[in-house]
Amino acid sequence: MITIERVLWDDPRAVTLRARMDEEMHERYGSANADEDPAVTAERDRALSVDPSSVICSVLAIDESGEAVGHIAIRRLRDEVELKRLIVLSSARGKGAATKLLDECEQIGREQGAERLILQTGDRQPDAVALYEKTGWRAIPVYEPYLATMPWSFCFDKAL
């Protein structure tokens, strides 16, 4: 059974899960852009970074043993509410944690008065794309800050 817990961005469990996500993304994307202009790389890193002051909430998925097995953050991006940094540990995949995290973000979005949520994912994350499509997210054009440095992104929204 997966339960959900709202936490601060700097909760140590959330920090650990985001570090695991960074490792996984490095494995998936590796040196795909090793020969690009360093200025482009720096701009992409800036686009992918999350300013803690923009974070509304971080959300953890907790398994039956009390371990945090999933994470997602919800933040303000200009006039939008955007989801960032969704990860579910491989040991917990297929148990509903990601769906519960997304459901909680929808609730937070409603509490914030948002009309929709948006998110961006990468072209080497077909599992994420399948999850979003399965849970009713709609493909939308790539939006800033990702358009300039990651035009191959997949972006989605979900009306609330």
PDB file of all heavy atoms in Angstrom, residues 29 33 36 40-41 43-49 84 120-123 125 142-155:
ATOM      1  N   TYR A  29      20.644   9.507 -20.542  1.00  0.00           N
ATOM      2  CA  TYR A  29      21.052  10.534 -21.498  1.00  0.00           C
ATOM      3  C   TYR A  29      22.558  10.620 -21.672  1.00  0.00           C
ATOM      4  O   TYR A  29      23.034  11.088 -22.701  1.00  0.00           O
ATOM      5  CB  TYR A  29      20.482  11.901 -21.088  1.00  0.00           C
ATOM      6  CG  TYR A  29      18.985  11.958 -21.241  1.00  0.00           C
ATOM      7  CD1 TYR A  29      18.145  11.628 -20.184  1.00  0.00           C
ATOM      8  CD2 TYR A  29      18.411  12.315 -22.456  1.00  0.00           C
ATOM      9  CE1 TYR A  29      16.769  11.656 -20.327  1.00  0.00           C
ATOM     10  CE2 TYR A  29      17.033  12.349 -22.603  1.00  0.00           C
ATOM     11  CZ  TYR A  29      16.218  12.017 -21.538  1.00  0.00           C
ATOM     12  OH  TYR A  29      14.856  12.043 -21.694  1.00  0.00           O
ATOM     13  N   ASN A  33      24.907  14.917 -25.582  1.00  0.00           N
ATOM     14  CA  ASN A  33      25.192  16.256 -26.108  1.00  0.00           C
ATOM     15  C   ASN A  33      26.630  16.670 -25.824  1.00  0.00           C
ATOM     16  O   ASN A  33      26.918  17.851 -25.677  1.00  0.00           O
ATOM     17  CB  ASN A  33      24.220  17.263 -25.495  1.00  0.00           C
ATOM     18  CG  ASN A  33      22.780  16.878 -25.750  1.00  0.00           C
ATOM     19  OD1 ASN A  33      22.369  16.720 -26.893  1.00  0.00           O
ATOM     20  ND2 ASN A  33      22.013  16.694 -24.690  1.00  0.00           N
ATOM     21  N   GLU A  36      28.270  19.571 -27.863  1.00  0.00           N
ATOM     22  CA  GLU A  36      27.569  20.836 -28.080  1.00  0.00           C
ATOM     23  C   GLU A  36      28.305  22.002 -27.423  1.00  0.00           C
ATOM     24  O   GLU A  36      29.172  21.822 -26.574  1.00  0.00           O
ATOM     25  CB  GLU A  36      26.134  20.750 -27.571  1.00  0.00           C
ATOM     26  CG  GLU A  36      25.971  20.853 -26.083  1.00  0.00           C
ATOM     27  CD  GLU A  36      24.525  20.728 -25.644  1.00  0.00           C
ATOM     28  OE1 GLU A  36      23.620  20.643 -26.470  1.00  0.00           O
ATOM     29  OE2 GLU A  36      24.302  20.699 -24.427  1.00  0.00           O
ATOM     30  N   VAL A  40      25.150  26.280 -24.539  1.00  0.00           N
ATOM     31  CA  VAL A  40      23.864  25.601 -24.700  1.00  0.00           C
ATOM     32  C   VAL A  40      23.655  24.632 -23.533  1.00  0.00           C
ATOM     33  O   VAL A  40      22.566  24.559 -22.964  1.00  0.00           O
ATOM     34  CB  VAL A  40      23.786  24.874 -26.058  1.00  0.00           C
ATOM     35  CG1 VAL A  40      22.523  24.036 -26.162  1.00  0.00           C
ATOM     36  CG2 VAL A  40      23.860  25.880 -27.199  1.00  0.00           C
ATOM     37  N   THR A  41      24.708  23.901 -23.172  1.00  0.00           N
ATOM     38  CA  THR A  41      24.618  22.982 -22.039  1.00  0.00           C
ATOM     39  C   THR A  41      24.260  23.740 -20.762  1.00  0.00           C
ATOM     40  O   THR A  41      23.394  23.310 -19.996  1.00  0.00           O
ATOM     41  CB  THR A  41      25.952  22.237 -21.844  1.00  0.00           C
ATOM     42  OG1 THR A  41      26.277  21.553 -23.050  1.00  0.00           O
ATOM     43  CG2 THR A  41      25.869  21.253 -20.689  1.00  0.00           C
ATOM     44  N   GLU A  43      22.700  26.562 -20.510  1.00  0.00           N
ATOM     45  CA  GLU A  43      21.320  27.055 -20.597  1.00  0.00           C
ATOM     46  C   GLU A  43      20.335  25.924 -20.330  1.00  0.00           C
ATOM     47  O   GLU A  43      19.324  26.113 -19.661  1.00  0.00           O
ATOM     48  CB  GLU A  43      21.073  27.682 -21.968  1.00  0.00           C
ATOM     49  CG  GLU A  43      19.714  28.319 -22.115  1.00  0.00           C
ATOM     50  CD  GLU A  43      19.436  29.463 -21.139  1.00  0.00           C
ATOM     51  OE1 GLU A  43      20.384  30.067 -20.609  1.00  0.00           O
ATOM     52  OE2 GLU A  43      18.241  29.748 -20.892  1.00  0.00           O
ATOM     53  N   ARG A  44      20.619  24.723 -20.819  1.00  0.00           N
ATOM     54  CA  ARG A  44      19.743  23.580 -20.553  1.00  0.00           C
ATOM     55  C   ARG A  44      19.755  23.251 -19.061  1.00  0.00           C
ATOM     56  O   ARG A  44      18.719  22.990 -18.464  1.00  0.00           O
ATOM     57  CB  ARG A  44      20.143  22.360 -21.374  1.00  0.00           C
ATOM     58  CG  ARG A  44      19.189  21.196 -21.131  1.00  0.00           C
ATOM     59  CD  ARG A  44      19.389  19.963 -21.991  1.00  0.00           C
ATOM     60  NE  ARG A  44      20.757  19.644 -22.282  1.00  0.00           N
ATOM     61  CZ  ARG A  44      21.395  19.964 -23.415  1.00  0.00           C
ATOM     62  NH1 ARG A  44      20.766  20.634 -24.360  1.00  0.00           N
ATOM     63  NH2 ARG A  44      22.654  19.631 -23.592  1.00  0.00           N
ATOM     64  N   ASP A  45      20.930  23.270 -18.457  1.00  0.00           N
ATOM     65  CA  ASP A  45      21.015  23.017 -17.017  1.00  0.00           C
ATOM     66  C   ASP A  45      20.184  24.033 -16.244  1.00  0.00           C
ATOM     67  O   ASP A  45      19.499  23.687 -15.275  1.00  0.00           O
ATOM     68  CB  ASP A  45      22.470  23.049 -16.548  1.00  0.00           C
ATOM     69  CG  ASP A  45      23.275  21.855 -17.041  1.00  0.00           C
ATOM     70  OD1 ASP A  45      22.674  20.873 -17.534  1.00  0.00           O
ATOM     71  OD2 ASP A  45      24.515  21.919 -16.949  1.00  0.00           O
ATOM     72  N   ARG A  46      20.217  25.294 -16.692  1.00  0.00           N
ATOM     73  CA  ARG A  46      19.414  26.330 -16.045  1.00  0.00           C
ATOM     74  C   ARG A  46      17.925  26.040 -16.216  1.00  0.00           C
ATOM     75  O   ARG A  46      17.139  26.145 -15.276  1.00  0.00           O
ATOM     76  CB  ARG A  46      19.753  27.708 -16.616  1.00  0.00           C
ATOM     77  CG  ARG A  46      19.049  28.854 -15.863  1.00  0.00           C
ATOM     78  CD  ARG A  46      19.032  30.158 -16.641  1.00  0.00           C
ATOM     79  NE  ARG A  46      18.315  30.093 -17.902  1.00  0.00           N
ATOM     80  CZ  ARG A  46      16.989  29.999 -18.026  1.00  0.00           C
ATOM     81  NH1 ARG A  46      16.212  29.934 -16.961  1.00  0.00           N
ATOM     82  NH2 ARG A  46      16.424  29.962 -19.213  1.00  0.00           N
ATOM     83  N   ALA A  47      17.539  25.618 -17.417  1.00  0.00           N
ATOM     84  CA  ALA A  47      16.128  25.324 -17.683  1.00  0.00           C
ATOM     85  C   ALA A  47      15.629  24.165 -16.826  1.00  0.00           C
ATOM     86  O   ALA A  47      14.477  24.163 -16.376  1.00  0.00           O
ATOM     87  CB  ALA A  47      15.924  25.022 -19.165  1.00  0.00           C
ATOM     88  N   LEU A  48      16.494  23.194 -16.581  1.00  0.00           N
ATOM     89  CA  LEU A  48      16.091  22.021 -15.810  1.00  0.00           C
ATOM     90  C   LEU A  48      16.174  22.224 -14.298  1.00  0.00           C
ATOM     91  O   LEU A  48      15.598  21.449 -13.537  1.00  0.00           O
ATOM     92  CB  LEU A  48      16.954  20.812 -16.202  1.00  0.00           C
ATOM     93  CG  LEU A  48      16.680  20.248 -17.586  1.00  0.00           C
ATOM     94  CD1 LEU A  48      17.727  19.212 -17.947  1.00  0.00           C
ATOM     95  CD2 LEU A  48      15.276  19.668 -17.678  1.00  0.00           C
ATOM     96  N   SER A  49      16.867  23.254 -13.876  1.00  0.00           N
ATOM     97  CA  SER A  49      17.008  23.482 -12.441  1.00  0.00           C
ATOM     98  C   SER A  49      15.685  23.951 -11.836  1.00  0.00           C
ATOM     99  O   SER A  49      14.827  24.480 -12.529  1.00  0.00           O
ATOM    100  CB  SER A  49      18.114  24.499 -12.157  1.00  0.00           C
ATOM    101  OG  SER A  49      17.716  25.779 -12.586  1.00  0.00           O
ATOM    102  N   LYS A  84       7.490  18.763 -11.520  1.00  0.00           N
ATOM    103  CA  LYS A  84       8.919  18.536 -11.738  1.00  0.00           C
ATOM    104  C   LYS A  84       9.385  17.338 -10.940  1.00  0.00           C
ATOM    105  O   LYS A  84       8.890  17.064  -9.859  1.00  0.00           O
ATOM    106  CB  LYS A  84       9.745  19.758 -11.278  1.00  0.00           C
ATOM    107  CG  LYS A  84       9.538  21.021 -12.083  1.00  0.00           C
ATOM    108  CD  LYS A  84      10.027  20.910 -13.496  1.00  0.00           C
ATOM    109  CE  LYS A  84      11.528  20.740 -13.592  1.00  0.00           C
ATOM    110  NZ  LYS A  84      12.010  20.589 -14.978  1.00  0.00           N
ATOM    111  N   GLN A 120       7.059  18.629 -18.400  1.00  0.00           N
ATOM    112  CA  GLN A 120       7.985  18.332 -19.488  1.00  0.00           C
ATOM    113  C   GLN A 120       8.708  17.042 -19.151  1.00  0.00           C
ATOM    114  O   GLN A 120       9.043  16.795 -17.994  1.00  0.00           O
ATOM    115  CB  GLN A 120       8.992  19.485 -19.639  1.00  0.00           C
ATOM    116  CG  GLN A 120      10.113  19.247 -20.622  1.00  0.00           C
ATOM    117  CD  GLN A 120      11.356  18.586 -20.023  1.00  0.00           C
ATOM    118  OE1 GLN A 120      11.555  18.567 -18.822  1.00  0.00           O
ATOM    119  NE2 GLN A 120      12.175  18.037 -20.879  1.00  0.00           N
ATOM    120  N   THR A 121       8.921  16.215 -20.156  1.00  0.00           N
ATOM    121  CA  THR A 121       9.735  15.018 -19.988  1.00  0.00           C
ATOM    122  C   THR A 121      10.611  14.862 -21.219  1.00  0.00           C
ATOM    123  O   THR A 121      10.415  15.552 -22.222  1.00  0.00           O
ATOM    124  CB  THR A 121       8.866  13.767 -19.717  1.00  0.00           C
ATOM    125  OG1 THR A 121       9.704  12.715 -19.269  1.00  0.00           O
ATOM    126  CG2 THR A 121       8.086  13.338 -20.942  1.00  0.00           C
ATOM    127  N   GLY A 122      11.563  13.954 -21.130  1.00  0.00           N
ATOM    128  CA  GLY A 122      12.530  13.812 -22.208  1.00  0.00           C
ATOM    129  C   GLY A 122      12.197  12.721 -23.202  1.00  0.00           C
ATOM    130  O   GLY A 122      11.371  11.845 -22.934  1.00  0.00           O
ATOM    131  N   ASP A 123      12.882  12.768 -24.322  1.00  0.00           N
ATOM    132  CA  ASP A 123      12.647  11.818 -25.396  1.00  0.00           C
ATOM    133  C   ASP A 123      13.200  10.424 -25.103  1.00  0.00           C
ATOM    134  O   ASP A 123      12.904   9.484 -25.827  1.00  0.00           O
ATOM    135  CB  ASP A 123      13.210  12.343 -26.711  1.00  0.00           C
ATOM    136  CG  ASP A 123      14.712  12.547 -26.694  1.00  0.00           C
ATOM    137  OD1 ASP A 123      15.304  12.676 -25.602  1.00  0.00           O
ATOM    138  OD2 ASP A 123      15.314  12.593 -27.790  1.00  0.00           O
ATOM    139  N   GLN A 125      12.544   8.864 -22.231  1.00  0.00           N
ATOM    140  CA  GLN A 125      11.752   8.425 -21.082  1.00  0.00           C
ATOM    141  C   GLN A 125      10.386   7.916 -21.562  1.00  0.00           C
ATOM    142  O   GLN A 125       9.344   8.440 -21.174  1.00  0.00           O
ATOM    143  CB  GLN A 125      11.609   9.570 -20.085  1.00  0.00           C
ATOM    144  CG  GLN A 125      12.943   9.982 -19.481  1.00  0.00           C
ATOM    145  CD  GLN A 125      12.847  11.289 -18.737  1.00  0.00           C
ATOM    146  OE1 GLN A 125      13.189  12.333 -19.268  1.00  0.00           O
ATOM    147  NE2 GLN A 125      12.371  11.213 -17.509  1.00  0.00           N
ATOM    148  N   VAL A 142       6.106  22.060 -26.973  1.00  0.00           N
ATOM    149  CA  VAL A 142       7.190  22.314 -26.021  1.00  0.00           C
ATOM    150  C   VAL A 142       7.144  23.794 -25.641  1.00  0.00           C
ATOM    151  O   VAL A 142       6.994  24.668 -26.489  1.00  0.00           O
ATOM    152  CB  VAL A 142       8.554  21.948 -26.638  1.00  0.00           C
ATOM    153  CG1 VAL A 142       9.687  22.249 -25.664  1.00  0.00           C
ATOM    154  CG2 VAL A 142       8.575  20.477 -27.045  1.00  0.00           C
ATOM    155  N   TYR A 143       7.239  24.062 -24.359  1.00  0.00           N
ATOM    156  CA  TYR A 143       7.141  25.425 -23.849  1.00  0.00           C
ATOM    157  C   TYR A 143       8.466  25.862 -23.231  1.00  0.00           C
ATOM    158  O   TYR A 143       9.333  25.038 -22.939  1.00  0.00           O
ATOM    159  CB  TYR A 143       5.982  25.555 -22.847  1.00  0.00           C
ATOM    160  CG  TYR A 143       6.036  24.598 -21.671  1.00  0.00           C
ATOM    161  CD1 TYR A 143       6.706  24.940 -20.491  1.00  0.00           C
ATOM    162  CD2 TYR A 143       5.415  23.361 -21.725  1.00  0.00           C
ATOM    163  CE1 TYR A 143       6.753  24.074 -19.409  1.00  0.00           C
ATOM    164  CE2 TYR A 143       5.454  22.486 -20.648  1.00  0.00           C
ATOM    165  CZ  TYR A 143       6.128  22.849 -19.500  1.00  0.00           C
ATOM    166  OH  TYR A 143       6.169  21.988 -18.425  1.00  0.00           O
ATOM    167  N   GLU A 144       8.597  27.158 -23.028  1.00  0.00           N
ATOM    168  CA  GLU A 144       9.789  27.698 -22.373  1.00  0.00           C
ATOM    169  C   GLU A 144       9.741  27.344 -20.888  1.00  0.00           C
ATOM    170  O   GLU A 144       8.664  27.287 -20.320  1.00  0.00           O
ATOM    171  CB  GLU A 144       9.870  29.213 -22.542  1.00  0.00           C
ATOM    172  CG  GLU A 144      10.156  29.653 -23.954  1.00  0.00           C
ATOM    173  CD  GLU A 144      11.501  29.182 -24.515  1.00  0.00           C
ATOM    174  OE1 GLU A 144      12.355  28.702 -23.757  1.00  0.00           O
ATOM    175  OE2 GLU A 144      11.673  29.267 -25.724  1.00  0.00           O
ATOM    176  N   PRO A 145      10.856  27.018 -20.321  1.00  0.00           N
ATOM    177  CA  PRO A 145      12.223  27.282 -20.750  1.00  0.00           C
ATOM    178  C   PRO A 145      12.880  26.146 -21.529  1.00  0.00           C
ATOM    179  O   PRO A 145      14.084  26.140 -21.708  1.00  0.00           O
ATOM    180  CB  PRO A 145      12.947  27.495 -19.425  1.00  0.00           C
ATOM    181  CG  PRO A 145      12.271  26.534 -18.502  1.00  0.00           C
ATOM    182  CD  PRO A 145      10.819  26.549 -18.926  1.00  0.00           C
ATOM    183  N   TYR A 146      12.107  25.168 -21.997  1.00  0.00           N
ATOM    184  CA  TYR A 146      12.678  23.985 -22.632  1.00  0.00           C
ATOM    185  C   TYR A 146      12.818  24.118 -24.149  1.00  0.00           C
ATOM    186  O   TYR A 146      13.629  23.416 -24.743  1.00  0.00           O
ATOM    187  CB  TYR A 146      11.833  22.753 -22.291  1.00  0.00           C
ATOM    188  CG  TYR A 146      11.508  22.692 -20.830  1.00  0.00           C
ATOM    189  CD1 TYR A 146      10.230  22.958 -20.354  1.00  0.00           C
ATOM    190  CD2 TYR A 146      12.503  22.427 -19.889  1.00  0.00           C
ATOM    191  CE1 TYR A 146       9.938  22.939 -19.001  1.00  0.00           C
ATOM    192  CE2 TYR A 146      12.230  22.412 -18.530  1.00  0.00           C
ATOM    193  CZ  TYR A 146      10.944  22.678 -18.102  1.00  0.00           C
ATOM    194  OH  TYR A 146      10.668  22.677 -16.764  1.00  0.00           O
ATOM    195  N   LEU A 147      12.049  24.979 -24.759  1.00  0.00           N
ATOM    196  CA  LEU A 147      12.003  25.079 -26.213  1.00  0.00           C
ATOM    197  C   LEU A 147      13.369  25.371 -26.824  1.00  0.00           C
ATOM    198  O   LEU A 147      13.773  24.741 -27.797  1.00  0.00           O
ATOM    199  CB  LEU A 147      10.991  26.150 -26.634  1.00  0.00           C
ATOM    200  CG  LEU A 147      10.735  26.286 -28.119  1.00  0.00           C
ATOM    201  CD1 LEU A 147      10.241  24.971 -28.704  1.00  0.00           C
ATOM    202  CD2 LEU A 147       9.717  27.388 -28.371  1.00  0.00           C
ATOM    203  N   ALA A 148      14.122  26.276 -26.235  1.00  0.00           N
ATOM    204  CA  ALA A 148      15.394  26.699 -26.830  1.00  0.00           C
ATOM    205  C   ALA A 148      16.477  25.622 -26.759  1.00  0.00           C
ATOM    206  O   ALA A 148      17.262  25.482 -27.695  1.00  0.00           O
ATOM    207  CB  ALA A 148      15.891  27.976 -26.151  1.00  0.00           C
ATOM    208  N   THR A 149      16.516  24.859 -25.681  1.00  0.00           N
ATOM    209  CA  THR A 149      17.622  23.912 -25.509  1.00  0.00           C
ATOM    210  C   THR A 149      17.204  22.447 -25.557  1.00  0.00           C
ATOM    211  O   THR A 149      18.064  21.580 -25.636  1.00  0.00           O
ATOM    212  CB  THR A 149      18.354  24.161 -24.175  1.00  0.00           C
ATOM    213  OG1 THR A 149      17.429  23.969 -23.104  1.00  0.00           O
ATOM    214  CG2 THR A 149      18.939  25.554 -24.120  1.00  0.00           C
ATOM    215  N   MET A 150      15.913  22.176 -25.501  1.00  0.00           N
ATOM    216  CA  MET A 150      15.428  20.795 -25.540  1.00  0.00           C
ATOM    217  C   MET A 150      14.176  20.682 -26.407  1.00  0.00           C
ATOM    218  O   MET A 150      13.116  20.252 -25.945  1.00  0.00           O
ATOM    219  CB  MET A 150      15.123  20.307 -24.123  1.00  0.00           C
ATOM    220  CG  MET A 150      16.358  20.160 -23.269  1.00  0.00           C
ATOM    221  SD  MET A 150      15.962  19.749 -21.558  1.00  0.00           S
ATOM    222  CE  MET A 150      15.473  21.361 -20.956  1.00  0.00           C
ATOM    223  N   PRO A 151      14.276  21.074 -27.678  1.00  0.00           N
ATOM    224  CA  PRO A 151      13.080  21.031 -28.529  1.00  0.00           C
ATOM    225  C   PRO A 151      12.546  19.619 -28.745  1.00  0.00           C
ATOM    226  O   PRO A 151      11.414  19.452 -29.171  1.00  0.00           O
ATOM    227  CB  PRO A 151      13.561  21.664 -29.838  1.00  0.00           C
ATOM    228  CG  PRO A 151      15.041  21.446 -29.842  1.00  0.00           C
ATOM    229  CD  PRO A 151      15.460  21.525 -28.393  1.00  0.00           C
ATOM    230  N   TRP A 152      13.343  18.610 -28.416  1.00  0.00           N
ATOM    231  CA  TRP A 152      12.923  17.214 -28.535  1.00  0.00           C
ATOM    232  C   TRP A 152      12.112  16.743 -27.327  1.00  0.00           C
ATOM    233  O   TRP A 152      11.699  15.589 -27.271  1.00  0.00           O
ATOM    234  CB  TRP A 152      14.152  16.324 -28.702  1.00  0.00           C
ATOM    235  CG  TRP A 152      15.115  16.460 -27.549  1.00  0.00           C
ATOM    236  CD1 TRP A 152      15.042  15.827 -26.338  1.00  0.00           C
ATOM    237  CD2 TRP A 152      16.238  17.321 -27.479  1.00  0.00           C
ATOM    238  NE1 TRP A 152      16.073  16.237 -25.524  1.00  0.00           N
ATOM    239  CE2 TRP A 152      16.828  17.154 -26.198  1.00  0.00           C
ATOM    240  CE3 TRP A 152      16.839  18.213 -28.375  1.00  0.00           C
ATOM    241  CZ2 TRP A 152      17.964  17.851 -25.798  1.00  0.00           C
ATOM    242  CZ3 TRP A 152      17.967  18.897 -27.960  1.00  0.00           C
ATOM    243  CH2 TRP A 152      18.518  18.714 -26.691  1.00  0.00           C
ATOM    244  N   SER A 153      11.883  17.630 -26.384  1.00  0.00           N
ATOM    245  CA  SER A 153      11.094  17.288 -25.200  1.00  0.00           C
ATOM    246  C   SER A 153       9.671  16.893 -25.582  1.00  0.00           C
ATOM    247  O   SER A 153       9.185  17.231 -26.657  1.00  0.00           O
ATOM    248  CB  SER A 153      11.008  18.489 -24.257  1.00  0.00           C
ATOM    249  OG  SER A 153      12.244  18.795 -23.706  1.00  0.00           O
ATOM    250  N   PHE A 154       9.032  16.221 -24.656  1.00  0.00           N
ATOM    251  CA  PHE A 154       7.594  15.971 -24.732  1.00  0.00           C
ATOM    252  C   PHE A 154       6.971  16.755 -23.585  1.00  0.00           C
ATOM    253  O   PHE A 154       7.405  16.631 -22.425  1.00  0.00           O
ATOM    254  CB  PHE A 154       7.276  14.490 -24.570  1.00  0.00           C
ATOM    255  CG  PHE A 154       7.794  13.650 -25.703  1.00  0.00           C
ATOM    256  CD1 PHE A 154       8.880  12.825 -25.511  1.00  0.00           C
ATOM    257  CD2 PHE A 154       7.203  13.680 -26.957  1.00  0.00           C
ATOM    258  CE1 PHE A 154       9.372  12.046 -26.543  1.00  0.00           C
ATOM    259  CE2 PHE A 154       7.690  12.911 -27.996  1.00  0.00           C
ATOM    260  CZ  PHE A 154       8.776  12.091 -27.788  1.00  0.00           C
ATOM    261  N   CYS A 155       5.979  17.561 -23.893  1.00  0.00           N
ATOM    262  CA  CYS A 155       5.284  18.342 -22.873  1.00  0.00           C
ATOM    263  C   CYS A 155       3.809  17.956 -22.867  1.00  0.00           C
ATOM    264  O   CYS A 155       3.240  17.570 -23.893  1.00  0.00           O
ATOM    265  CB  CYS A 155       5.442  19.837 -23.139  1.00  0.00           C
ATOM    266  SG  CYS A 155       7.161  20.386 -22.945  1.00  0.00           S
TER     267      CYS A 155
END
